[in-house]
Amino acid sequence: MTDTDLSAFATDPETLRTALEFADPATLMLVLVTLTGDHSWLDRARPHISGPSSYQETMPDHLRSEIRASLFEVLMDYARNPRPLPPIPGGQLLIDMLETAAGTPVGEDYVAMMQEDLQPADIDPRGMVWRKRPPQSKLDAFHVIIIGAGVSGMCAAIRLQQAGIPFTILEKNETVSGTWFENSYPGCGVDTPNHFYSYSFEPNHGWSHFFAKRDELWRYFEAVADKHDLRRRTRFNTEVTSCTFDETRKRWTVTARRADGSNFDLDANVVLSAVGILNRPKYPDIPGRESFAGPTVHTGHWDAKFDWHGKRIAMIGTGASGHQVGPTIAPDVERLMIFQRSPHWVVPNPNYFGEVADGKKWVLANVPHYARWYRFQLFWAFADGLHSALKIDPNWPDQDRSINQQNHRHRIFMERHMKAELGADSPLLEKVIPPYPPYGKRILIDNDWFKMLKQPNVDLITDGISRITPEGVVTADGTTWPADAIIYATGFQASKMLAPMKITGSDSRELHDVWKQDDATAYLGTTVPGFPNFFILLGPNTGLAHGGNVIFMSECQVRYVMMCLRELLEEEHDCLDVKADVHDRYVAEVDRLHSGMVWSHTGLTNWYRNPAGRVFAVLPYRLVDYWRMTSEFRPDDYQFA
Ligand code: NAP
């Protein structure tokens, strides 16, 4: 069934009627308004919707039934009298719909983006459209190299393929999917809901859970790669070691190493780095680390043979990875000793473990507009709806606890959850309640972390680690914690962006010399002056600290890069290079905005900042701002050759 062919409903109305019972009433109401333009449904539902999540909707049963019955009739009418569906609303009606869905003011900033994002997936408005398509012979003579076949590299490859631009992907792993191939630790999964964490042009209505685990995510990306036949153009087990720009030829030479250690060169007009930033495991600099006698493993480089069953396990690190590993292995270990340097804020989510009912999957796949409105609700709950909670209000008192009123409400909510889980007088509370405002470090979803902490075989150790010995871990107070194995959940070398590749641009300048002191910068997180035709996907200041997901960011960036390539190819330029002043102004603005965000709070450590304290990794903007900035290409920002 396509989005406008609803005739199957006419032959089997009962399936539709039954499935609607499994769908979220607020989302159904938004579909109803989209199809009818009838504003009165918004007026009736609004008082009962306090936020975008399903558990924030409290409509009375009779209103829910009316919505389902009315939508059923409207859809049946389309089934019996086939005709085009109405377009996505605009203007004030769309704003009212967005605000009712979000349960909060949203504003007109979102209208243009949502008119795009609410389009059915088969329309795919983020694809590149030629203004004056160059002859195929010209395209055939052009070559793009993509480094990495992960989330962003795959997105780029799909767009290049759609545009008819030849490309080769060089991938160090044996398969596609990047992070979802590499991360295979127990409990690994997303903490952003899947119906938002998926390509806008490749929706998956069959996710088994709202928050899928790693294998299902991996299968999704593998399936997308197969559907678009990306493997044919990918050289696996091939690691890029250097990229060198030839000033005379205006082309890049990309040197790569095969699995057997031999090297080869490829020639390219354009290089897209799509290597991500969270993929090189970071081991802690603890004295004696190498002396440990038992097996060790890092979450980011898990060994499938690592066996934790019945063992005394020391786990160092309590970030997003540690929070997933701990509760997963705790029931099977003899003892789990968790070494926590600093606590994280942890938010409960009633849907975190939830399975998606078959009826809901059916509605997502078959009821027009439902999946897209649901995606908006998730976008608001897990991304831009949170942004204002992270801006420092200079007049807010006691900035060590919270930084504005909304942020304070988050604090109260999470503290209450911790107390409910652990007991109001639990001695653990002192260890787990962070001494910094919510969102100062990456927020985590409660993965039964607190339930795990209450288990008799689990210790939460907050004394600093002084050394590691062959027998185990020794803390600052002199206690030895004997262990059979150590799990390092200590994160990634985020600030070593693009390492260990050597990227040499114009005037033989090396990118890592330009980015002194781990200080990566790029215009829109994508282009660096002096590195013509070199684009960085998920580059500096594109990580997400307020929410959102890398797929959304990749789609925005790839669209922007495709506009750059269109300019090159249509206007017959050899290369483009971002102007230094444009880059510098952008970076200055990013820094200015970051100074007013919670993660710049003094005394905090997080992977967003480099050793000098500059926030190099994450975006200060709302996603809608980044979408807007990357949805147009301004030739004036670049020098062309
Ligand atoms: P991380 O957030 O950087 O956490 C590293 C942990 O190791 C922190 O608790 C850190 O303590 C601790 N640590 C580092 N060095 C230490 C030392 N020398 N001694 C003691 N403790 C030390 O790394 P991660 O958990 O792998 O997560 C990284 C990012 O990957 C996340 O923020 C997220 O963006 C992504 N991720 C996402 C998911 C998901 O569900 N979607 C899952 C996993 C990872 P301090 O806090 O004191 O520095």
Side-chain angles (χ1 to χ4, degrees):
M1 182 191 294
T2 70
D3 283 296
T4 47
D5 176 13
L6 307 182
S7 55
F9 294 162
T11 49
D12 184 11
E14 281 320 301
T15 297
L16 171 64
R17 197 195 304 274
T18 309
L20 291 179
E21 294 297 323
F22 291 90
D24 294 329
T27 322
L28 293 176
M29 181 274 300
L30 295 161
V31 175
L32 189 52
V33 178
T34 310
L35 294 178
T36 62
D38 183 351
H39 198 284
S40 68
W41 291 107
L42 296 173
D43 300 331
R44 294 179 65 194
R46 192 177 300 113
H48 311 289
I49 299 176
S50 63
S53 300
S54 53
Y55 50 86
Q56 293 173 303
E57 172 271 303
T58 52
M59 285 190 242
D61 284 345
H62 69 84
L63 181 54
R64 293 175 173 180
S65 302
E66 268 186 74
I67 289 168
R68 289 195 166 99
S70 300
L71 181 59
F72 177 80
E73 289 308 326
V74 170
L75 291 170
M76 290 305 293
D77 188 50
Y78 272 100
R80 292 188 204 103
N81 308 297
R83 58 196 189 278
L85 298 172
I88 302 299
Q92 192 56 46
L93 178 57
L94 183 57
I95 295 174
D96 290 347
M97 293 176 81
L98 296 173
E99 296 193 339
T100 306
T104 184
V106 170
E108 60 186 310
D109 288 2
Y110 286 84
V111 168
M113 185 179 95
M114 290 318 301
Q115 279 199 307
E116 180 183 285
D117 214 58
L118 289 167
Q119 297 292 341
D122 51 358
I123 290 184
D124 189 12
R126 289 191 188 136
M128 197 265 270
V129 180
W130 292 107
R131 294 167 302 198
K132 39 181 182 175
R133 189 186 168 95
Q136 194 57 44
S137 57
K138 186 172 168 67
L139 294 183
D140 288 345
F142 200 80
H143 186 214
V144 178
I145 289 184
I146 304 172
I147 309 171
V151 171
S152 62
M154 285 174 56
C155 181
I158 290 167
R159 293 310 192 196
L160 287 165
Q161 188 153 270
Q162 288 168 345
I165 300 175
F167 64 91
T168 304
I169 310 178
L170 302 176
E171 167 56 57
K172 69 177 170 19
N173 294 326
E174 68 199 56
T175 187
V176 298
S177 313
T179 202
W180 295 111
F181 169 71
E182 288 176 0
N183 282 272
S184 59
Y185 57 80
C188 180
V190 272
D191 56 10
T192 307
N194 294 296
H195 298 92
F196 176 35
Y197 191 95
S198 36
Y199 295 116
S200 66
F201 52 89
E202 286 297 350
N204 174 15
H205 304 307
W207 292 113
S208 68
H209 289 73
F210 296 105
F211 297 83
K213 290 298 175 196
R214 176 261 184 186
D215 285 356
E216 191 171 359
L217 288 149
W218 182 30
R219 284 198 300 274
Y220 168 78
F221 288 103
E222 294 277 328
V224 171
D226 286 337
K227 178 176 169 188
H228 292 272
D229 201 11
L230 300 184
R231 292 175 215 273
R232 196 167 51 87
R233 297 190 178 219
T234 309
R235 296 201 193 178
F236 292 106
N237 300 308
T238 300
E239 182 162 4
V240 171
T241 53
S242 68
C243 304
T244 309
F245 186 66
D246 181 331
E247 205 88 56
T248 319
R249 294 168 55 235
K250 308 279 185 238
R251 289 174 80 99
W252 286 90
T253 301
V254 176
T255 304
R257 190 170 47 230
R258 300 184 186 92
D260 64 7
S262 61
N263 293 316
F264 66 95
D265 288 345
L266 283 181
D267 196 59
N269 302 77
V270 164
V271 176
L272 293 188
S273 167
V275 299
I277 63 168
L278 297 175
N279 55 14
R280 288 166 37 80
K282 187 176 81 186
Y283 288 86
D285 196 11
I286 299 173
R289 185 168 61 78
E290 301 292 343
S291 72
F292 183 66
T296 64
V297 69
H298 191 287
T299 49
H301 194 72
W302 196 259
D303 178 354
K305 293 196 279 300
F306 181 82
D307 184 13
W308 59 89
H309 294 83
K311 304 232 166 82
R312 297 168 303 170
I313 303 287
M315 183 172 85
I316 301 176
T318 53
S321 304
H323 263 249
Q324 292 183 334
V325 175
T328 310
I329 65 169
D332 302 322
V333 301
E334 180 187 321
R335 189 167 188 198
L336 179 61
M337 292 157 280
I338 300 172
F339 294 87
Q340 172 189 282
R341 189 164 65 179
S342 24
H344 277 248
W345 283 106
V346 179
V347 66
N349 186 297
N351 289 335
Y352 187 65
F353 296 105
E355 287 183 34
V356 185
D358 286 345
K360 186 158 184 174
K361 289 180 195 162
W362 191 94
V363 171
L364 283 160
N366 293 290
V367 172
H369 302 303
Y370 184 90
R372 305 312 270 199
W373 273 112
Y374 183 50
R375 195 176 149 91
F376 168 72
Q377 291 171 297
L378 298 175
F379 164 86
W380 197 257
F382 285 83
D384 277 11
L386 297 165
H387 195 266
S388 52
L390 317 184
K391 283 173 148 169
I392 296 170
D393 172 355
N395 299 318
W396 186 254
D398 201 358
Q399 298 263 338
D400 286 340
R401 284 173 58 76
S402 51
I403 45 108
N404 67 32
Q405 192 173 34
Q406 197 184 346
N407 186 267
H408 193 68
R409 280 202 301 271
H410 284 269
R411 180 184 183 102
I412 302 288
F413 176 67
M414 287 187 275
E415 272 192 14
R416 203 175 286 152
H417 172 66
M418 291 179 193
K419 287 176 184 159
E421 287 287 298
L422 294 172
D425 49 6
S426 166
L428 283 168
L429 287 172
E430 203 186 327
K431 295 181 172 183
V432 299
I433 297 180
Y436 57 85
Y439 289 89
K441 286 172 178 289
R442 189 179 182 282
I443 202 86
L444 306 179
I445 294 194
D446 188 6
N447 191 40
D448 280 349
W449 182 255
F450 303 108
K451 287 190 176 62
M452 171 201 70
L453 290 181
K454 288 197 295 190
Q455 299 310 310
N457 66 336
V458 176
D459 295 294
L460 181 66
I461 300 144
T462 52
D463 282 326
I465 299 172
S466 63
R467 64 186 194 281
I468 291 176
T469 65
E471 293 76 35
V473 178
V474 182
T475 43
D477 62 354
T479 310
T480 296
W481 300 83
D484 300 313
I486 298 179
I487 295 174
Y488 292 106
T490 43
F492 300 91
Q493 301 176 45
S495 66
K496 306 276 178 230
M497 212 171 263
L498 269 59
M501 293 187 295
K502 186 173 175 197
I503 316 290
T504 311
S506 301
D507 304 326
S508 303
R509 282 194 308 163
E510 221 264 281
L511 185 58
H512 288 102
D513 291 337
V514 174
W515 286 348
K516 320 178 194 57
Q517 305 294 334
D518 299 331
D519 198 6
T521 57
Y523 177 54
L524 298 174
T526 312
T527 48
V528 184
F531 295 82
N533 287 7
F534 187 84
F535 301 93
I536 307 167
L537 300 180
L538 304 181
N541 292 112
T542 60
L544 292 165
H546 77 284
N549 69 64
V550 293
I551 301 181
F552 181 93
M553 295 302 285
S554 302
E555 288 190 24
C556 290
Q557 271 191 303
V558 168
R559 162 150 72 182
Y560 182 79
V561 172
M562 293 302 294
M563 286 188 288
C564 294
L565 301 195
R566 181 172 69 182
E567 192 75 9
L568 280 183
L569 283 155
E570 290 186 352
E571 302 304 323
E572 314 229 359
H573 303 298
D574 282 333
C575 58
L576 51 73
D577 190 3
V578 66
K579 292 177 181 166
D581 61 320
V582 170
H583 164 273
D584 294 352
R585 267 200 308 277
Y586 178 79
V587 174
E589 178 63 0
V590 162
D591 290 348
R592 188 188 69 79
L593 291 170
H594 272 312
S595 68
M597 302 299 287
V598 62
W599 41 80
S600 295
H601 197 275
T602 46
L604 262 178
T605 58
N606 52 44
W607 61 260
Y608 311 159
R609 301 205 290 216
N610 65 13
R614 181 177 169 269
V615 181
F616 74 96
V618 297
L619 186 76
Y621 297 103
R622 301 171 303 172
L623 296 191
V624 69
D625 302 318
Y626 193 72
W627 173 88
R628 185 178 37 74
M629 290 188 281
T630 50
S631 56
E632 65 162 333
F633 172 76
R634 291 199 303 239
D636 283 353
D637 291 344
Y638 288 84
Q639 308 179 105
F640 295 89

